[in-house]
Coordinates of all heavy atoms in Angstrom, one line a residue:
A224 N 135.2 83.4 88.4 CA 136.6 83.1 88.6 C 136.8 81.6 89.0 O 136.0 81.0 89.7 CB 137.1 84.0 89.8
C225 N 138.0 81.1 88.5 CA 138.5 79.8 89.0 C 139.7 80.2 89.9 O 140.7 80.7 89.4 CB 138.9 78.9 87.9 SG 139.9 77.5 88.4
V226 N 139.6 80.0 91.2 CA 140.6 80.5 92.1 C 141.4 79.2 92.6 O 140.8 78.2 93.0 CB 140.0 81.2 93.4 CG1 141.0 81.7 94.3 CG2 139.1 82.3 92.9
L227 N 142.7 79.4 92.7 CA 143.6 78.3 93.2 C 144.1 78.7 94.6 O 144.7 79.8 94.7 CB 144.7 78.0 92.3 CG 144.3 77.5 90.9 CD1 145.6 77.1 90.1 CD2 143.3 76.5 90.8
S228 N 143.9 77.9 95.6 CA 144.3 78.2 96.9 C 145.0 77.0 97.6 O 145.2 76.0 96.9 CB 143.1 78.7 97.7 OG 143.4 79.0 99.0
G229 N 145.3 77.1 98.9 CA 145.9 76.0 99.6 C 145.6 76.1 101.1 O 144.5 76.6 101.4
G230 N 146.5 75.7 101.9 CA 148.0 75.6 101.7 C 148.6 76.7 100.8 O 148.0 77.8 100.7
E231 N 149.7 76.4 100.3 CA 150.4 77.3 99.3 C 150.3 76.6 97.9 O 151.1 75.7 97.6 CB 151.8 77.5 99.7 CG 152.6 78.3 98.7 CD 151.9 79.5 98.2 OE1 151.4 80.3 98.9 OE2 151.9 79.6 96.9
P232 N 149.4 77.1 97.0 CA 149.2 76.5 95.7 C 150.5 76.4 94.9 O 150.6 75.5 94.1 CB 148.1 77.3 95.1 CG 148.2 78.6 95.8 CD 148.6 78.3 97.2
L233 N 151.4 77.4 95.0 CA 152.6 77.4 94.1 C 153.6 76.3 94.5 O 154.5 76.0 93.7 CB 153.2 78.7 94.1 CG 152.4 79.9 93.5 CD1 153.3 81.2 93.4 CD2 151.9 79.5 92.1
L234 N 153.3 75.6 95.6 CA 154.2 74.4 95.9 C 153.9 73.3 95.0 O 154.7 72.3 94.9 CB 154.0 74.0 97.4 CG 154.6 74.9 98.4 CD1 154.2 74.4 99.8 CD2 156.1 75.0 98.3
D235 N 152.7 73.3 94.3 CA 152.4 72.3 93.2 C 152.1 73.1 92.0 O 150.9 73.1 91.5 CB 151.2 71.4 93.7 CG 151.1 70.2 92.8 OD1 151.7 70.2 91.7 OD2 150.5 69.2 93.2
W236 N 153.1 73.8 91.4 CA 152.9 74.6 90.2 C 152.4 73.8 89.0 O 151.6 74.3 88.3 CB 154.1 75.4 89.9 CG 154.1 76.1 88.6 CD1 154.9 75.8 87.5 CD2 153.1 77.1 88.2 NE1 154.5 76.6 86.4 CE2 153.4 77.4 86.8 CE3 152.1 77.7 88.8 CZ2 152.7 78.3 86.1 CZ3 151.4 78.7 88.1 CH2 151.7 79.0 86.8
E237 N 152.9 72.6 88.9 CA 152.5 71.8 87.8 C 151.0 71.5 87.8 O 150.3 71.6 86.7 CB 153.2 70.4 87.8 CG 154.7 70.6 87.4 CD 154.9 71.3 86.1 OE1 154.2 70.9 85.1 OE2 155.8 72.2 86.0
L238 N 150.4 71.3 88.9 CA 148.9 71.1 89.0 C 148.2 72.4 88.7 O 147.2 72.4 88.0 CB 148.6 70.6 90.4 CG 147.1 70.3 90.6 CD1 146.5 69.4 89.6 CD2 146.8 69.8 92.0
C239 N 148.7 73.5 89.3 CA 148.1 74.8 89.0 C 148.1 75.0 87.5 O 147.0 75.4 86.9 CB 149.0 75.9 89.6 SG 148.9 76.0 91.4
R240 N 149.2 74.8 86.8 CA 149.3 75.0 85.4 C 148.4 74.1 84.6 O 147.7 74.5 83.6 CB 150.7 74.9 84.9 CG 150.9 75.1 83.4 CD 152.4 75.3 83.1 NE 152.5 75.7 81.6 CZ 153.5 76.2 81.1 NH1 154.6 76.5 81.9 NH2 153.6 76.5 79.8
T241 N 148.3 72.9 85.0 CA 147.4 71.9 84.3 C 146.0 72.3 84.4 O 145.2 72.3 83.5 CB 147.6 70.5 85.0 OG1 148.9 70.1 84.8 CG2 146.6 69.5 84.3
I242 N 145.5 72.8 85.6 CA 144.2 73.2 85.8 C 143.9 74.4 84.9 O 142.9 74.5 84.2 CB 143.9 73.6 87.3 CG1 143.9 72.3 88.1 CG2 142.6 74.3 87.4 CD1 143.9 72.6 89.6
F243 N 144.8 75.4 84.9 CA 144.5 76.6 84.1 C 144.6 76.3 82.6 O 143.8 76.9 81.8 CB 145.6 77.7 84.4 CG 145.3 78.4 85.7 CD1 146.3 79.2 86.3 CD2 144.1 78.4 86.3 CE1 146.1 79.9 87.5 CE2 143.8 79.1 87.5 CZ 144.9 79.8 88.1
D244 N 145.4 75.4 82.2 CA 145.5 75.0 80.8 C 144.3 74.3 80.3 O 144.0 74.2 79.1 CB 146.8 74.2 80.5 CG 148.0 75.1 80.5 OD1 147.9 76.3 80.5 OD2 149.1 74.5 80.6
T245 N 143.6 73.7 81.3 CA 142.4 72.9 80.9 C 141.2 73.8 80.8 O 140.2 73.5 80.0 CB 142.1 71.9 82.1 OG1 143.2 71.0 82.2 CG2 140.9 71.0 81.7
L246 N 141.2 75.0 81.4 CA 140.0 75.9 81.3 C 139.8 76.4 79.9 O 140.8 76.6 79.2 CB 140.2 77.1 82.3 CG 140.3 76.8 83.8 CD1 140.8 78.0 84.5 CD2 138.9 76.4 84.3
P247 N 138.6 76.6 79.5 CA 138.3 77.3 78.2 C 138.9 78.7 78.2 O 139.0 79.4 79.2 CB 136.8 77.4 78.2 CG 136.3 76.3 79.1 CD 137.3 76.3 80.2
K248 N 139.4 79.1 77.0 CA 140.0 80.4 76.8 C 139.0 81.5 77.3 O 137.9 81.5 77.0 CB 140.3 80.6 75.4 CG 141.1 81.9 75.1 CD 141.5 81.9 73.6 CE 142.3 83.2 73.3 NZ 142.6 83.4 71.9
G249 N 139.6 82.4 78.1 CA 138.8 83.6 78.5 C 138.2 83.4 79.9 O 137.7 84.3 80.5
T250 N 138.4 82.2 80.5 CA 138.0 82.0 81.9 C 138.9 82.8 82.9 O 140.1 82.7 82.7 CB 138.0 80.5 82.3 OG1 137.2 79.8 81.3 CG2 137.4 80.3 83.7
H251 N 138.3 83.5 83.8 CA 139.1 84.3 84.7 C 139.8 83.4 85.7 O 139.2 82.6 86.3 CB 138.3 85.3 85.4 CG 139.1 86.3 86.3 ND1 139.9 87.3 85.7 CD2 139.3 86.3 87.6 CE1 140.5 87.9 86.7 NE2 140.2 87.4 87.8
K252 N 141.2 83.6 85.8 CA 142.0 82.8 86.7 C 142.6 83.6 87.8 O 143.0 84.7 87.6 CB 143.1 82.1 85.9 CG 142.6 81.4 84.6 CD 143.8 80.9 83.8 CE 143.7 81.0 82.3 NZ 142.9 81.9 81.7
K253 N 142.7 83.0 89.0 CA 143.3 83.7 90.1 C 144.0 82.7 91.0 O 143.6 81.6 91.2 CB 142.1 84.4 90.9 CG 142.5 85.0 92.2 CD 141.3 85.6 92.9 CE 141.5 86.2 94.2 NZ 140.4 86.8 94.9
I254 N 145.1 83.2 91.6 CA 145.9 82.4 92.6 C 146.0 83.3 93.9 O 146.4 84.4 93.8 CB 147.3 82.1 92.0 CG1 147.2 81.2 90.8 CG2 148.1 81.4 93.1 CD1 148.5 80.9 90.2
M255 N 145.8 82.6 95.0 CA 146.0 83.2 96.3 C 147.3 82.6 96.9 O 147.3 81.4 97.1 CB 144.8 83.0 97.2 CG 143.5 83.6 96.6 SD 142.1 83.5 97.6 CE 142.4 84.8 98.8
T256 N 148.3 83.4 97.1 CA 149.6 82.9 97.5 C 150.3 83.7 98.5 O 150.0 84.8 98.8 CB 150.5 82.8 96.2 OG1 151.8 82.4 96.5 CG2 150.5 84.2 95.5
N257 N 151.3 83.0 99.2 CA 152.2 83.8 100.1 C 153.3 84.5 99.4 O 154.0 85.3 100.0 CB 152.7 82.9 101.2 CG 153.6 81.7 100.7 OD1 154.3 81.8 99.7 ND2 153.5 80.6 101.4
G258 N 153.5 84.2 98.1 CA 154.4 84.9 97.3 C 155.9 84.4 97.3 O 156.7 85.0 96.6
I259 N 156.2 83.4 98.1 CA 157.5 83.0 98.3 C 158.1 82.3 97.1 O 159.3 82.4 96.8 CB 157.6 82.1 99.6 CG1 157.3 82.9 100.8 CG2 159.0 81.4 99.7 CD1 157.3 82.0 102.1
N260 N 157.2 81.5 96.4 CA 157.7 80.5 95.4 C 157.7 81.0 94.0 O 157.7 80.2 93.1 CB 156.9 79.3 95.6 CG 157.1 78.7 97.0 OD1 158.1 78.1 97.3 ND2 156.0 78.9 97.8
F261 N 157.6 82.3 93.7 CA 157.6 82.7 92.3 C 158.9 82.5 91.7 O 160.0 82.7 92.3 CB 157.2 84.2 92.3 CG 155.8 84.5 92.4 CD1 155.3 85.2 93.5 CD2 154.9 84.1 91.5 CE1 154.0 85.5 93.7 CE2 153.5 84.4 91.6 CZ 153.1 85.1 92.7
T262 N 158.9 82.0 90.5 CA 160.0 81.9 89.6 C 159.8 82.7 88.3 O 158.6 83.2 88.1 CB 160.3 80.4 89.2 OG1 159.1 80.0 88.4 CG2 160.4 79.5 90.4
D263 N 160.8 82.9 87.5 CA 160.6 83.7 86.3 C 159.6 82.9 85.4 O 158.8 83.6 84.7 CB 162.0 83.8 85.6 CG 162.9 84.8 86.3 OD1 162.4 85.7 86.9 OD2 164.1 84.6 86.2
E264 N 159.6 81.6 85.4 CA 158.7 80.8 84.6 C 157.3 81.1 85.0 O 156.4 81.3 84.2 CB 159.0 79.3 84.7 CG 158.0 78.4 84.0 CD 158.1 77.0 84.5 OE1 159.0 76.6 85.2 OE2 157.2 76.2 84.1
I265 N 157.0 81.1 86.3 CA 155.7 81.3 86.8 C 155.2 82.7 86.5 O 154.1 82.9 86.1 CB 155.6 81.0 88.4 CG1 155.9 79.5 88.6 CG2 154.2 81.4 88.9 CD1 155.9 79.2 90.1
V266 N 156.0 83.7 86.7 CA 155.7 85.1 86.4 C 155.3 85.2 85.0 O 154.4 85.9 84.6 CB 156.8 86.0 86.9 CG1 156.4 87.5 86.4 CG2 156.9 86.0 88.4
D267 N 156.2 84.7 84.1 CA 155.9 84.8 82.7 C 154.6 84.1 82.3 O 153.8 84.7 81.5 CB 157.0 84.1 81.9 CG 158.3 84.8 81.9 OD1 158.3 86.0 82.3 OD2 159.4 84.2 81.6
Y268 N 154.3 83.0 82.9 CA 153.0 82.3 82.6 C 151.8 83.1 83.1 O 150.8 83.3 82.3 CB 153.0 80.9 83.3 CG 151.7 80.2 83.0 CD1 151.6 79.3 82.0 CD2 150.6 80.3 83.9 CE1 150.4 78.6 81.7 CE2 149.4 79.7 83.6 CZ 149.3 78.8 82.6 OH 148.1 78.1 82.3
V269 N 151.8 83.6 84.3 CA 150.7 84.4 84.8 C 150.4 85.6 84.0 O 149.3 86.1 83.8 CB 150.8 84.6 86.3 CG1 150.9 83.3 87.1 CG2 151.9 85.6 86.7
N270 N 151.5 86.3 83.6 CA 151.3 87.5 82.8 C 150.8 87.2 81.4 O 149.9 87.9 80.9 CB 152.7 88.2 82.7 CG 153.1 89.0 84.0 OD1 152.2 89.2 84.8 ND2 154.3 89.3 84.1
K271 N 151.3 86.1 80.8 CA 150.8 85.8 79.5 C 149.4 85.3 79.5 O 148.6 85.6 78.5 CB 151.7 84.6 78.9 CG 151.3 84.2 77.5 CD 152.3 83.1 77.0 CE 151.9 82.6 75.6 NZ 152.8 81.5 75.2
N272 N 148.9 84.7 80.6 CA 147.6 84.2 80.7 C 146.6 85.0 81.5 O 145.6 84.5 81.9 CB 147.7 82.7 81.2 CG 148.3 81.8 80.2 OD1 147.7 81.2 79.3 ND2 149.6 81.6 80.4
N273 N 147.0 86.2 81.8 CA 146.1 87.2 82.5 C 145.6 86.6 83.9 O 144.4 86.7 84.2 CB 145.0 87.6 81.6 CG 145.4 88.2 80.4 OD1 146.3 89.1 80.4 ND2 144.8 87.8 79.2
V274 N 146.5 86.0 84.6 CA 146.2 85.4 85.9 C 146.2 86.5 87.0 O 147.2 87.2 87.1 CB 147.1 84.2 86.3 CG1 146.7 83.7 87.7 CG2 147.1 83.2 85.2
E275 N 145.2 86.6 87.7 CA 145.1 87.6 88.8 C 145.8 87.0 90.0 O 145.6 85.8 90.4 CB 143.6 87.8 89.2 CG 143.4 88.8 90.4 CD 142.0 88.8 90.8 OE1 141.1 88.1 90.2 OE2 141.7 89.6 91.7
I276 N 146.8 87.7 90.6 CA 147.6 87.2 91.7 C 147.3 88.0 93.0 O 147.3 89.2 93.0 CB 149.1 87.3 91.4 CG1 149.4 86.5 90.2 CG2 149.9 86.9 92.6 CD1 149.2 85.0 90.4
W277 N 146.9 87.3 94.1 CA 146.8 87.9 95.4 C 147.9 87.4 96.3 O 148.0 86.2 96.5 CB 145.4 87.5 96.0 CG 144.3 88.4 95.5 CD1 144.1 88.9 94.3 CD2 143.1 88.8 96.3 NE1 142.9 89.6 94.2 CE2 142.3 89.5 95.4 CE3 142.7 88.5 97.6 CZ2 141.1 90.1 95.8 CZ3 141.5 89.1 98.0 CH2 140.7 89.9 97.1
V278 N 148.7 88.3 96.8 CA 149.8 88.0 97.7 C 149.4 88.5 99.1 O 149.1 89.6 99.3 CB 151.1 88.7 97.2 CG1 152.2 88.4 98.3 CG2 151.6 88.2 95.9
S279 N 149.5 87.5 100.0 CA 149.2 87.9 101.4 C 150.3 88.7 102.0 O 151.5 88.3 102.0 CB 149.0 86.6 102.2 OG 147.9 85.9 101.7
H280 N 149.9 89.8 102.6 CA 150.9 90.7 103.3 C 150.2 91.6 104.3 O 149.2 92.2 104.0 CB 151.7 91.5 102.3 CG 153.0 92.1 102.9 ND1 153.0 93.2 103.7 CD2 154.3 91.7 102.8 CE1 154.3 93.4 104.1 NE2 155.1 92.5 103.5
D281 N 150.7 91.6 105.5 CA 150.1 92.3 106.6 C 150.8 93.5 107.2 O 150.8 93.8 108.4 CB 149.8 91.3 107.8 CG 149.1 90.1 107.3 OD1 148.2 90.2 106.5 OD2 149.5 89.0 107.7
G282 N 151.5 94.2 106.2 CA 152.2 95.4 106.7 C 153.4 95.1 107.6 O 154.0 94.0 107.4
D283 N 153.7 96.0 108.5 CA 154.8 95.8 109.4 C 154.7 94.6 110.3 O 155.7 94.1 110.8 CB 155.1 97.0 110.2 CG 155.6 98.2 109.4 OD1 155.9 98.0 108.2 OD2 155.6 99.3 110.0
M284 N 153.5 94.0 110.4 CA 153.4 92.8 111.3 C 153.4 91.5 110.6 O 153.2 90.5 111.1 CB 152.0 92.9 112.0 CG 151.9 94.1 113.0 SD 153.2 94.2 114.2 CE 152.9 92.6 115.1
T285 N 153.8 91.6 109.3 CA 153.8 90.4 108.5 C 154.7 89.3 109.0 O 154.3 88.1 109.2 CB 154.3 90.7 107.0 OG1 153.3 91.6 106.5 CG2 154.4 89.4 106.2
E286 N 156.0 89.6 109.4 CA 156.9 88.6 109.9 C 156.4 88.0 111.2 O 156.5 86.8 111.4 CB 158.3 89.2 110.1 CG 159.3 88.1 110.5 CD 160.7 88.7 110.4 OE1 160.9 89.8 109.9 OE2 161.6 87.9 110.8
F287 N 155.8 88.8 112.1 CA 155.2 88.3 113.3 C 154.1 87.4 113.1 O 153.9 86.3 113.7 CB 154.8 89.5 114.2 CG 154.0 89.1 115.4 CD1 154.6 88.5 116.5 CD2 152.6 89.3 115.5 CE1 153.9 88.1 117.6 CE2 151.9 88.9 116.6 CZ 152.5 88.3 117.7
L288 N 153.2 87.8 112.2 CA 151.9 87.0 112.0 C 152.1 85.8 111.1 O 151.5 84.8 111.2 CB 150.9 87.9 111.4 CG 150.3 89.0 112.3 CD1 149.4 90.0 111.5 CD2 149.5 88.4 113.4
R289 N 153.1 85.9 110.1 CA 153.3 84.9 109.1 C 154.6 84.1 109.2 O 154.8 83.1 108.6 CB 153.1 85.5 107.7 CG 151.8 86.2 107.5 CD 151.7 86.9 106.1 NE 151.8 85.9 105.1 CZ 150.8 85.1 104.7 NH1 149.7 85.1 105.3 NH2 151.0 84.2 103.7
G290 N 155.5 84.7 110.0 CA 156.8 84.0 110.1 C 157.9 84.4 109.1 O 159.0 84.1 109.2
Y291 N 157.4 85.2 108.1 CA 158.4 85.6 107.0 C 157.7 86.8 106.2 O 156.5 86.7 105.9 CB 158.6 84.4 106.1 CG 159.6 84.7 104.9 CD1 161.0 84.8 105.2 CD2 159.1 84.9 103.6 CE1 161.8 85.1 104.1 CE2 160.0 85.2 102.6 CZ 161.3 85.3 102.8 OH 162.2 85.6 101.8
D292 N 158.5 87.7 105.9 CA 158.1 88.9 105.1 C 158.7 88.8 103.7 O 159.8 89.1 103.5 CB 158.5 90.2 105.8 CG 157.9 91.4 105.1 OD1 157.4 91.3 104.0 OD2 157.8 92.5 105.8
V293 N 157.8 88.4 102.8 CA 158.3 88.1 101.4 C 158.9 89.4 100.7 O 159.8 89.3 99.9 CB 157.2 87.5 100.6 CG1 156.1 88.5 100.3 CG2 157.7 86.9 99.3

Side-chain angles (χ1 to χ4, degrees):
C225 169
V226 184
L227 302 187
S228 181
E231 171 46 48
L233 295 186
L234 288 175
D235 195 342
W236 169 242
E237 289 305 314
L238 179 54
C239 292
R240 182 165 184 162
T241 299
I242 291 171
F243 282 164
D244 287 346
T245 303
L246 293 168
K248 186 177 180 180
T250 305
H251 186 73
K252 309 175 222 17
K253 173 178 174 179
I254 298 176
M255 304 184 74
T256 174
N257 60 34
I259 293 175
N260 300 284
F261 281 114
T262 64
D263 289 330
E264 175 197 350
I265 294 175
V266 173
D267 289 342
Y268 179 92
V269 300
N270 285 342
K271 181 179 179 181
N272 292 275
N273 301 315
V274 180
E275 179 189 0
I276 299 295
W277 277 35
V278 175
S279 298
H280 198 280
D281 306 318
D283 289 351
M284 295 305 299
T285 297
E286 187 168 353
F287 170 76
L288 293 170
R289 304 178 60 77
Y291 181 75
D292 187 340
V293 67

